[in-house]
Amino acid sequence: MSTRDKADSVVEPRKERRKSDEWRTALTCIEPNKILVRGYPLDEVMGRLTFGEAIYLLLLGEVPSPGIGRLMEAMLVSFIDHGTTPPSTLAARNTATTGAALRACVAAGLLGFGKYHGGDIESCMQFLDNGLDFVRKGASYRKAAEQLLERPLEANEAPPGFGHRFHTRDPRAARLFQMALELELEAEHIQMIRAVELVLNDKLVDGKHLPVNIDGAIAAVCGDLGIPPSIANALFIISRVPGIAAHAEEERVRQKPMRQIDPKDHTYDGPSERRLPERRK
Amino acid sequence: MSTRDKADSVVEPRKERRKSDEWRTALTCIEPNKILVRGYPLDEVMGRLTFGEAIYLLLLGEVPSPGIGRLMEAMLVSFIDHGTTPPSTLAARNTATTGAALRACVAAGLLGFGKYHGGDIESCMQFLDNGLDFVRKGASYRKAAEQLLERPLEANEAPPGFGHRFHTRDPRAARLFQMALELELEAEHIQMIRAVELVLNDKLVDGKHLPVNIDGAIAAVCGDLGIPPSIANALFIISRVPGIAAHAEEERVRQKPMRQIDPKDHTYDGPSERRLPERRK
Amino acid sequence: MSTRDKADSVVEPRKERRKSDEWRTALTCIEPNKILVRGYPLDEVMGRLTFGEAIYLLLLGEVPSPGIGRLMEAMLVSFIDHGTTPPSTLAARNTATTGAALRACVAAGLLGFGKYHGGDIESCMQFLDNGLDFVRKGASYRKAAEQLLERPLEANEAPPGFGHRFHTRDPRAARLFQMALELELEAEHIQMIRAVELVLNDKLVDGKHLPVNIDGAIAAVCGDLGIPPSIANALFIISRVPGIAAHAEEERVRQKPMRQIDPKDHTYDGPSERRLPERRK
Amino acid sequence: MSTRDKADSVVEPRKERRKSDEWRTALTCIEPNKILVRGYPLDEVMGRLTFGEAIYLLLLGEVPSPGIGRLMEAMLVSFIDHGTTPPSTLAARNTATTGAALRACVAAGLLGFGKYHGGDIESCMQFLDNGLDFVRKGASYRKAAEQLLERPLEANEAPPGFGHRFHTRDPRAARLFQMALELELEAEHIQMIRAVELVLNDKLVDGKHLPVNIDGAIAAVCGDLGIPPSIANALFIISRVPGIAAHAEEERVRQKPMRQIDPKDHTYDGPSERRLPERRK
């Protein structure tokens, strides 16, 4: 009878080492003066792969093709920050105002990444896979979308990957799909989510419009790139860490310690809208 | 008399909003269907800046030049992982073995980034600045290095930025300096740390050798790029998150839950050493 | 259509305060020179309620009767520590070895309290409530236990609240039941779990024995005291914090920083078994 | 030359176990069916020591005398909560609103316990010890207090352990001192802080009054009980965990997910002020 996961699971202390105790890791090999990340010497990777490409390598085990690398960068950039109002960012700022070290502020911020916040991706990937089941059995994308949307529409709920409290058109999602198309990486998951978007918005009344959001776009792209849901989930975390860190730093530098942070009572005083210089690809 | 930072600092609850309560942020502006990061529309940044360049933009406020962008990528890649033995990675694996969500494993891992682990950078930047003070007053780099090294040598302690428990030559540091040279971004901080390296190893006896480590290399490069210590510190955190996430995922996927993790009893079973394909720049 | 929990949920910034924005808390009232916890002045509670009784008051809203207070203390004491091998304790030690502050070590340790570790309680309370459904419909406790155990026995799995990797009789569970009996607080949940224990161990062959573990005992006692599952879950966290803190402190005081912590390679060098002095109730 | 605390400190993996690798713990001994906490069987401690007394035992190694036990309870009760406005509590609520598990909310809350928030205690204990140095060299408590206060008064800053943003008389501090007196546990540290309070408030003009706050009171009491600063610091963490947990639970139960939490816009709707029943000691 399996009891391995009970209470304070304690393995009886054993002093002698048995070969069967040995565990294995396939990520990084450390030897004197050598660091191999999935087999590649880290000092070679430095300067030849970008951080985004190295992240792909580390998480998925192989160097991405240039096209996949570009989509990877775009996905990581897309979630880098969303201002001061996400509760995770506020948790980080509230930690920063106590004088805590940056790592503690970032850790506090990350703990809010779950069910309601960045956690839509795994359920969206499942949702799209359900739809693709219908497609593989012979349904058109439209028919599959209608099947998928039966229950959410009945419950008057947005399906996973759709809707945004603030944006009626998520510019990040649109851009990601555009890039996937240009890089010829668009495949069945993206087609599935587009079909759902069409059917969904046909059925909405009163001029309502539910856009695909960035969770949905990343879910679809990851599906088409063969990136599993758990790794897609990791991308959200990796992407948002710079944003959380930037907010914690700004709190530390610009504000008095131990202040009461009102999430609604702020204004933006950064640069006005500007365009990237032309020379950049 | 200042009492604002005492005990449970409580601001008396005030209901009416005063204009002076308003606080400001310069990072990201959120408006309906628009996300501006330091003024640049995020959907424009996607596909035109890499994740590494976007991190620089977010943290420092401007788009980096191509050369600085490449050094930024290299710094972020350099610290991406260091195998299973760092205590922070073990904290993450111990959290993963309890079935915790990835974000919790990453948060637990980040909390170990401090004094003894990635925290050398701010003291190393200070150390180099102290040396540069001597240089600006007229000393040669060599003389300044000798001044800097008086106290550590007396106390028989490695200066900040030098030494590694495992590597006698940190391949990541060497590569970073090489890139700085090639990109013509090498300046006084890098010269300072090279001088310290020379003098230090002249003075060591018994064939000992203390290499510049990655903390030191990043400290010197950041100094020459004008990246402040607190932001340099953020780079360590941002860089290592993918590594911690990869280890937590590998623990979840390959191992039984609630296992006793012996940091010494593992072997590497990933790919053998291999080279990046030639086509990559 | 409900979209409130999508992606980066952002409420549009609103400057004017509406009465409907006001939110309420019933826990602690802070006024100048006065702190009321659930209505009781904190300085009165100090010295008249123990910490355990105050925890009950804060979490459940009322002062416990003396008997319930004693069971509360016992439950909190029962989970206070379980040595160096739980992964949560190891996460805390691995954080401590990096020189992190105590609060960070405790936070890291807490993140491992979940599915496999202390998380059994909510499923055990549900399990017992399922059994009590049968009892309320007229079944004997024995029959209800047999119903409950059908699926676990078929799957050859220990039911929630039973079994321990290391103990064949959990001394903490036995003691808690004994106290509940003596304090005349034993009721249907405890009867239910005892019935399950009897039936389960009748059905086990090969001299196996599956004891009620501390999760199960606390689940049953909380059920009989009317403490909801979420609060019972909080008790585990509150109880174990002193243990995690003690381990982090011991790591900091007795060990070198940045050591490799082998969970199996330790011995106990504390006091030999000793008895509490007679004078204590 | 000492390099043990550099960068990613990695111990070369060693397979053979050396007796010198063995490490020791004096806290809890786990054997089959037996759990000894500092030598005492945990099932004996249950029901005979309160949670507060067991905390003292675990952290300090011995069972406290009844008087010290009562002061311990009072100290733990004193810091149990301080309403919704401390930033640590807000970090926890912001985490709870994302649907995070209770342990994550508590962890996030704890990360804000530092320099400005509960962190006064170690500096206050140092401050009092400095004063007692003067006393042991022959100064009166008054003279020693005047020496101690020279620098803070010059800098127009409250000394550690004094002042509160909200309270002009911290009821918790007063009560703790009263109990110490009644239990005849008052000694030199408490005398020192009272002397500082007298001298400080003599010197303040404009009717200002700086009370001893709870950090200061706990610092003084711990000094007189021989509880070291690091353990005193642990008491704050242990004490506040129930409060943080209660707030996270209240957020989860009473509020919608993903709300914008304004720390100023709340009212208390709990019980009105009430007194503890007479029968309680």
Side-chain angles (χ1 to χ4, degrees):
Chain A
M1 172 152 289
S2 162
T3 60
R4 104 188 147 238
D5 48 7
K6 295 294 167 183
D8 308 285
S9 265
V10 165
V11 177
E12 340 113 40
R14 240 186 312 107
K15 296 289 146 99
E16 68 290 354
R17 170 186 167 272
R18 305 192 300 221
K19 188 147 182 50
S20 61
D21 286 342
E22 216 176 63
W23 56 281
R24 296 191 166 76
T25 174
L27 300 172
T28 304
C29 176
I30 308 288
E31 293 174 2
N33 302 342
K34 186 183 287 190
I35 303 168
L36 306 180
V37 175
R38 299 287 198 167
Y40 296 101
L42 189 49
D43 53 322
E44 264 197 55
V45 177
M46 288 167 64
R48 293 185 63 192
L49 295 188
T50 62
F51 185 43
E53 294 170 326
I55 290 169
Y56 185 99
L57 169 65
L58 179 58
L59 290 179
L60 291 147
E62 297 298 329
V63 174
S65 69
I68 290 179
R70 292 202 60 207
L71 266 184
M72 187 75 179
E73 305 278 7
M75 287 193 290
L76 288 166
V77 168
S78 72
F79 205 69
I80 203 175
D81 192 44
H82 200 278
T84 55
T85 54
S88 51
T89 304
L90 288 163
R93 280 188 178 261
N94 272 292
T95 306
T97 197
T98 72
L102 182 63
R103 60 193 173 269
C105 304
V106 173
L110 285 185
L111 293 174
F113 266 64
K115 205 167 27 167
Y116 296 121
H117 186 33
D120 237 10
I121 196 174
E122 297 190 52
S123 48
C124 186
M125 289 181 84
Q126 182 62 62
F127 179 76
L128 297 178
D129 281 339
N130 293 347
L132 290 173
D133 275 345
F134 297 134
V135 169
R136 289 182 199 115
K137 286 178 193 148
S140 66
Y141 279 95
R142 183 175 190 95
K143 266 257 165 294
E146 283 168 357
Q147 282 264 53
L148 273 184
L149 285 169
E150 261 190 50
R151 235 187 311 179
L153 284 171
E154 232 174 72
N156 199 30
E157 262 183 41
F162 282 84
H164 198 282
R165 220 167 159 191
F166 200 56
H167 305 299
T168 55
R169 174 188 174 277
D170 191 330
R172 305 165 293 181
R175 175 65 176 141
L176 199 61
F177 288 143
Q178 178 193 18
M179 287 183 65
L181 189 68
E182 289 171 358
L183 293 162
E184 294 178 13
L185 287 162
E186 179 180 298
E188 52 178 12
H189 292 81
I190 294 177
Q191 289 177 40
M192 190 67 249
I193 207 171
R194 286 200 167 293
V196 171
E197 188 179 28
L198 269 164
V199 171
L200 176 62
N201 288 288
D202 276 350
K203 292 189 183 285
L204 288 177
V205 295
D206 307 332
K208 282 205 190 123
H209 182 81
L210 267 183
V212 179
N213 62 38
I214 189 60
D215 294 49
I218 290 179
V221 169
C222 284
D224 280 348
L225 298 188
I227 294 175
S230 56
I231 305 295
N233 180 40
L235 298 186
F236 273 107
I237 293 169
I238 293 165
S239 171
R240 186 52 63 89
V241 162
I244 294 172
H247 280 275
E249 261 306 288
E250 192 187 46
E251 183 65 38
R252 186 185 69 84
V253 166
R254 295 188 70 175
Q255 304 293 341
K256 287 193 167 68
M258 295 301 284
R259 76 174 179 111
Q260 294 277 272
I261 304 175
D262 180 346
K264 298 198 293 293
D265 230 351
H266 69 277
T267 35
Y268 172 75
D269 71 346
S272 319
E273 186 167 346
R274 46 180 174 163
R275 309 236 83 85
L276 288 168
E278 275 311 317
R279 58 184 179 83
R280 283 188 165 278
K281 6 182 175 63
Chain B
M1 172 151 289
S2 160
T3 59
R4 97 184 153 242
D5 48 9
K6 295 294 167 180
D8 307 283
S9 264
V10 164
V11 178
E12 329 116 45
R14 241 185 314 107
K15 295 287 147 105
E16 67 292 352
R17 171 185 166 273
R18 303 192 300 220
K19 187 150 181 48
S20 61
D21 287 341
E22 214 176 65
W23 56 280
R24 297 190 167 76
T25 175
L27 300 172
T28 304
C29 176
I30 308 290
E31 291 176 2
N33 303 342
K34 185 184 284 192
I35 303 168
L36 305 179
V37 175
R38 299 286 197 167
Y40 296 101
L42 189 50
D43 53 323
E44 263 196 56
V45 176
M46 290 167 62
R48 293 184 63 191
L49 296 188
T50 62
F51 185 42
E53 293 169 326
I55 291 169
Y56 185 99
L57 168 64
L58 180 58
L59 290 178
L60 291 147
E62 297 298 329
V63 174
S65 70
I68 291 180
R70 292 200 60 207
L71 266 184
M72 187 75 178
E73 304 279 6
M75 287 193 289
L76 288 166
V77 168
S78 73
F79 205 68
I80 204 175
D81 193 45
H82 200 275
T84 55
T85 54
S88 51
T89 304
L90 288 163
R93 281 189 176 260
N94 272 291
T95 307
T97 198
T98 71
L102 183 62
R103 60 194 174 269
C105 304
V106 173
L110 283 185
L111 293 174
F113 267 64
K115 205 165 31 163
Y116 296 121
H117 187 30
D120 237 12
I121 196 174
E122 296 191 52
S123 48
C124 185
M125 288 181 84
Q126 183 62 59
F127 179 76
L128 296 178
D129 281 339
N130 293 346
L132 290 171
D133 275 346
F134 297 133
V135 169
R136 289 183 199 115
K137 287 182 193 145
S140 66
Y141 279 94
R142 184 173 190 95
K143 267 254 165 297
E146 284 168 357
Q147 283 263 53
L148 275 183
L149 286 169
E150 261 189 48
R151 237 188 311 183
L153 284 171
E154 233 175 69
N156 199 29
E157 262 182 42
F162 282 84
H164 198 280
R165 227 171 152 185
F166 199 55
H167 305 299
T168 55
R169 175 187 173 277
D170 191 329
R172 303 164 296 181
R175 175 64 175 142
L176 200 61
F177 288 142
Q178 177 193 19
M179 287 183 65
L181 187 67
E182 289 171 359
L183 292 163
E184 293 177 15
L185 287 162
E186 178 181 297
E188 52 178 11
H189 291 80
I190 294 177
Q191 290 178 39
M192 189 68 249
I193 207 171
R194 285 201 169 291
V196 172
E197 188 178 29
L198 269 165
V199 171
L200 177 61
N201 287 289
D202 277 351
K203 292 189 182 286
L204 287 177
V205 295
D206 307 332
K208 281 204 189 125
H209 182 82
L210 266 183
V212 179
N213 61 37
I214 189 59
D215 295 50
I218 289 180
V221 169
C222 284
D224 281 347
L225 297 189
I227 294 175
S230 55
I231 305 295
N233 180 42
L235 298 185
F236 274 107
I237 293 169
I238 293 166
S239 171
R240 187 51 64 89
V241 163
I244 294 173
H247 279 275
E249 261 306 286
E250 192 187 47
E251 182 67 36
R252 186 186 69 84
V253 165
R254 296 188 69 175
Q255 304 293 341
K256 287 195 167 69
M258 295 301 285
R259 76 175 179 113
Q260 295 277 273
I261 304 175
D262 180 347
K264 299 198 292 290
D265 231 350
H266 69 277
T267 35
Y268 172 74
D269 70 347
S272 319
E273 186 166 346
R274 47 181 173 163
R275 311 235 81 86
L276 288 169
E278 276 309 318
R279 56 181 181 85
R280 284 187 165 278
K281 9 183 174 60
Chain C
M1 170 151 290
S2 163
T3 61
R4 94 184 157 243
D5 46 8
K6 296 293 168 182
D8 307 287
S9 263
V10 165
V11 177
E12 333 114 46
R14 242 184 311 105
K15 296 286 153 126
E16 68 289 353
R17 170 186 167 271
R18 304 193 300 220
K19 187 147 183 50
S20 60
D21 286 342
E22 215 176 65
W23 56 281
R24 296 192 166 76
T25 175
L27 300 172
T28 305
C29 175
I30 309 289
E31 292 176 1
N33 303 342
K34 186 183 287 191
I35 303 169
L36 304 180
V37 175
R38 300 288 198 165
Y40 297 101
L42 189 51
D43 53 325
E44 264 196 55
V45 177
M46 289 167 65
R48 292 185 63 193
L49 295 187
T50 62
F51 185 42
E53 293 169 326
I55 290 169
Y56 185 99
L57 168 65
L58 180 59
L59 291 178
L60 291 146
E62 297 298 329
V63 174
S65 69
I68 290 179
R70 293 201 60 206
L71 266 184
M72 186 75 179
E73 305 279 5
M75 287 193 290
L76 288 166
V77 167
S78 72
F79 206 68
I80 203 174
D81 192 43
H82 200 277
T84 55
T85 54
S88 50
T89 303
L90 288 163
R93 280 188 177 262
N94 271 291
T95 306
T97 197
T98 72
L102 182 63
R103 59 193 174 269
C105 305
V106 173
L110 284 185
L111 293 174
F113 265 64
K115 203 162 36 159
Y116 296 120
H117 186 32
D120 236 11
I121 196 176
E122 297 191 53
S123 48
C124 186
M125 289 181 85
Q126 182 62 62
F127 179 77
L128 296 178
D129 280 338
N130 294 345
L132 290 172
D133 276 344
F134 297 133
V135 169
R136 288 184 199 114
K137 286 177 194 151
S140 66
Y141 279 94
R142 183 174 190 95
K143 266 256 165 292
E146 284 168 356
Q147 282 264 53
L148 275 184
L149 285 169
E150 260 189 51
R151 236 187 312 179
L153 284 170
E154 232 175 70
N156 199 29
E157 261 183 44
F162 282 84
H164 198 280
R165 221 167 158 192
F166 199 56
H167 305 299
T168 55
R169 174 186 172 275
D170 191 331
R172 302 165 295 181
R175 174 64 175 143
L176 200 61
F177 288 143
Q178 177 193 19
M179 287 183 65
L181 189 67
E182 289 171 358
L183 292 163
E184 294 177 14
L185 287 162
E186 178 181 297
E188 53 178 10
H189 292 79
I190 294 177
Q191 289 177 40
M192 189 68 250
I193 206 171
R194 286 200 168 290
V196 171
E197 188 179 27
L198 270 165
V199 170
L200 175 62
N201 287 289
D202 277 351
K203 292 190 182 284
L204 288 176
V205 295
D206 307 332
K208 282 204 189 120
H209 182 82
L210 266 183
V212 179
N213 61 38
I214 190 59
D215 295 50
I218 289 180
V221 169
C222 283
D224 280 347
L225 297 189
I227 294 174
S230 57
I231 305 295
N233 181 42
L235 298 185
F236 274 107
I237 292 169
I238 293 167
S239 171
R240 187 51 65 88
V241 163
I244 295 172
H247 279 275
E249 262 305 289
E250 193 188 46
E251 182 66 36
R252 186 184 70 83
V253 165
R254 296 187 70 175
Q255 303 293 341
K256 286 192 166 71
M258 296 302 285
R259 75 174 179 113
Q260 295 277 274
I261 304 176
D262 180 347
K264 298 197 295 290
D265 231 352
H266 70 275
T267 34
Y268 171 75
D269 71 347
S272 319
E273 185 167 346
R274 47 181 174 164
R275 310 236 82 85
L276 288 169
E278 276 310 318
R279 58 184 179 85
R280 284 187 164 281
K281 2 179 179 67
Chain D
M1 174 151 287
S2 161
T3 59
R4 90 178 162 249
D5 47 9
K6 295 294 169 183
D8 307 283
S9 265
V10 164
V11 177
E12 332 117 42
R14 239 184 314 104
K15 296 288 146 108
E16 68 291 354
R17 169 184 167 273
R18 303 192 301 219
K19 185 143 182 55
S20 60
D21 287 342
E22 214 175 64
W23 56 280
R24 298 192 165 76
T25 175
L27 300 173
T28 304
C29 177
I30 308 289
E31 292 175 1
N33 303 342
K34 185 184 286 191
I35 302 168
L36 305 179
V37 176
R38 300 287 198 166
Y40 296 102
L42 189 50
D43 53 323
E44 263 197 56
V45 177
M46 289 167 63
R48 293 185 62 191
L49 295 189
T50 63
F51 185 43
E53 294 170 325
I55 291 169
Y56 184 99
L57 169 65
L58 180 58
L59 290 178
L60 291 148
E62 297 297 330
V63 175
S65 70
I68 291 179
R70 293 201 60 207
L71 266 184
M72 188 74 178
E73 304 279 6
M75 287 193 290
L76 289 165
V77 167
S78 73
F79 205 68
I80 203 175
D81 192 46
H82 200 275
T84 55
T85 55
S88 50
T89 304
L90 288 163
R93 279 188 178 260
N94 271 292
T95 307
T97 198
T98 71
L102 182 62
R103 60 194 173 270
C105 304
V106 174
L110 284 184
L111 294 174
F113 266 65
K115 204 163 35 162
Y116 296 121
H117 186 32
D120 237 13
I121 196 173
E122 297 191 53
S123 49
C124 186
M125 290 180 84
Q126 183 62 62
F127 179 76
L128 296 178
D129 281 339
N130 293 345
L132 289 173
D133 275 346
F134 297 133
V135 170
R136 288 183 199 114
K137 287 181 194 148
S140 65
Y141 279 95
R142 182 173 191 98
K143 266 257 166 290
E146 283 169 357
Q147 283 262 54
L148 275 183
L149 285 169
E150 259 189 50
R151 236 189 309 184
L153 284 171
E154 233 175 70
N156 200 28
E157 261 182 42
F162 282 83
H164 198 283
R165 219 165 160 191
F166 200 55
H167 305 299
T168 55
R169 175 185 174 278
D170 191 327
R172 305 164 295 181
R175 175 63 175 142
L176 200 61
F177 287 142
Q178 177 192 19
M179 287 183 65
L181 188 68
E182 289 171 358
L183 293 163
E184 293 179 15
L185 287 161
E186 179 181 297
E188 51 177 13
H189 292 79
I190 294 177
Q191 288 177 40
M192 189 67 248
I193 206 170
R194 285 199 167 294
V196 171
E197 187 179 31
L198 270 165
V199 170
L200 176 62
N201 288 288
D202 277 351
K203 292 187 181 289
L204 289 175
V205 294
D206 307 333
K208 281 204 191 124
H209 183 82
L210 267 182
V212 178
N213 61 37
I214 190 59
D215 294 50
I218 288 179
V221 169
C222 284
D224 281 348
L225 297 189
I227 294 174
S230 55
I231 305 296
N233 180 42
L235 297 186
F236 274 108
I237 293 170
I238 293 166
S239 171
R240 187 52 64 89
V241 163
I244 294 172
H247 279 274
E249 261 306 287
E250 193 188 45
E251 182 66 37
R252 186 185 70 83
V253 166
R254 295 188 70 175
Q255 303 293 341
K256 286 195 168 68
M258 296 301 285
R259 75 173 179 114
Q260 295 276 273
I261 304 175
D262 181 347
K264 298 199 293 290
D265 231 349
H266 69 277
T267 35
Y268 172 75
D269 70 348
S272 319
E273 186 168 345
R274 46 181 174 163
R275 311 234 82 86
L276 287 168
E278 277 309 319
R279 57 182 179 84
R280 283 187 167 278
K281 4 181 179 65

